[in-house]
Amino acid sequence: MGGQYRITGDKYPRMRRPRGRRRLVFLVVASVTALGLIGWGTLQLIDVFTGKGDKATAAGTKGDCTSKTGPSAKASTASTTSTAAGTLPRPGQITVNVLNATPRSGLAKQTADELKKRGFRIGDVGNATATYDKKVNGAGILLGAKGAARAALPVLGTQLSGAEVKTDGRAQADRVDLIIGNAFKSLTKKQDADKALATLSGPLPTASASPKSC
């Protein structure tokens, strides 16, 4: 600049930001970053101590297990159910001794004749032994070997509702007793007995059909 205006001295203003503002911006950014890292680390520690990581792993495992229920699992279920149903004997494989423990005459023969019509084999027909004679207050007692408790006795039980089931020390599991009691009126109606027998012999539910089995 010429003329009367002249810059004198060895110092002149420089075009730069004040150092104070730079430091302030740096401190703010550093503080925000530090707070973010502290918060993230805290969340990680909470997950570790509360076990959320384990729960997530367990959930993933359950999902994998459920996804494995395919044709092979269904085949296994079908095999198990057919085996369970196959353990029950048919009426023609069961011999029934019909014994009358009441003072009413003729009940044993009438009941035996009806059971024979329904496919059961008939053994002894007559009066009950002294152990049970005049001592059975219910509809009747189904008596057999321990091995008959899950075989012949349940099948015979479909023919007389409300009968009490007992076992003794006999060895023959396919020969059982039907002891007629004082409350006996008649056998279960054939139609209802057939339905009960069909339900008993049908497919049984198994644990492998449920997702919880894994």
Side-chain angles (χ1 to χ4, degrees), residues 76-144:
S76 176
T77 301
S79 176
T80 303
T81 54
S82 61
T83 301
T87 60
L88 294 175
R90 296 185 298 274
Q93 298 173 309
I94 302 172
T95 299
V96 183
N97 301 320
V98 184
L99 307 174
N100 186 7
T102 76
R104 292 175 287 169
S105 62
L107 283 182
K109 185 178 185 309
Q110 293 174 10
T111 304
D113 291 344
E114 182 60 29
L115 286 174
K116 186 176 181 179
K117 292 178 182 178
R118 298 184 184 189
F120 290 87
R121 293 184 298 181
I122 303 301
D124 299 332
V125 178
N127 294 326
T129 61
T131 304
Y132 296 102
D133 192 27
K134 312 297 189 299
K135 298 176 183 178
V136 180
N137 295 322
I141 294 177
L142 307 182
L143 182 64

Side-chain angles (χ1 to χ4, degrees), residues 121-202:
R121 293 184 298 181
I122 303 301
D124 299 332
V125 178
N127 294 326
T129 61
T131 304
Y132 296 102
D133 192 27
K134 312 297 189 299
K135 298 176 183 178
V136 180
N137 295 322
I141 294 177
L142 307 182
L143 182 64
K146 291 182 179 180
R150 294 186 178 181
L153 290 178
V155 174
L156 181 58
T158 61
Q159 310 301 311
L160 181 57
S161 301
E164 182 182 0
V165 178
K166 289 187 176 182
T167 59
D168 56 17
R170 73 183 70 183
Q172 195 172 359
D174 61 348
R175 190 180 183 95
V176 296
D177 300 342
L178 190 160
I179 304 172
I180 301 173
N182 293 323
F184 176 86
K185 293 182 179 179
S186 65
L187 293 174
T188 303
K189 291 181 179 180
K190 187 177 185 305
Q191 183 178 2
D192 296 334
D194 289 344
K195 288 181 180 179
L197 186 59
T199 301
L200 184 67
S201 303

